[in-house]
Amino acid sequence: MDTFTTLAYDGPGPWILFLPLIWAAVVVGVVTVLRRTVRRRRRGAEAYGERSPIAILGRRFAAGEIDEDEYWRRLSVLDEQFGRSLKDGAA
């Protein structure tokens, strides 16, 4: 009986050629997701970095150059432009 089972096995078959394609698709997908994530973080860092308008406004308020009413009024305008919500906290 061992002879019949050995002779009946033809190997993995042509479907084995699809495995490298599946792995390539997985790798391309992971790389794409990581690149998009990095790009979004870079854009966010540019908009909310130390030199961003929101950070400058916060420093001006902290230094006493503008009062609280002016700070909130200008911050609401900047929030509309940059898409940041007031729930995240002030700069």
Side-chain angles (χ1 to χ4, degrees):
M1 288 221 172
D2 290 329
T3 307
F4 291 118
T5 56
T6 307
L7 293 175
Y9 182 70
D10 290 335
W15 62 269
I16 195 75
L17 298 174
F18 289 113
L19 286 177
L21 294 175
I22 291 170
W23 278 109
V26 168
V27 168
V28 167
V30 168
V31 168
T32 302
V33 167
L34 290 175
R35 289 181 75 191
R36 287 184 178 186
T37 303
V38 168
R39 285 182 187 163
R40 286 181 186 162
R41 287 187 182 166
R42 284 185 186 162
R43 271 191 249 148
E46 291 170 2
Y48 302 114
E50 288 183 21
R51 302 187 69 142
S52 73
I54 294 175
I56 293 170
L57 181 65
R59 282 195 296 274
R60 288 186 64 198
F61 176 63
E65 296 176 19
I66 57 175
D67 63 349
E68 185 177 359
D69 292 330
E70 173 124 6
Y71 171 78
W72 287 111
R73 188 171 61 247
R74 290 184 182 206
L75 183 62
S76 67
V77 172
L78 291 174
D79 284 337
E80 289 176 12
Q81 182 178 3
F82 288 104
R84 181 176 165 177
S85 66
L86 292 174
K87 293 181 220 172
D88 294 339

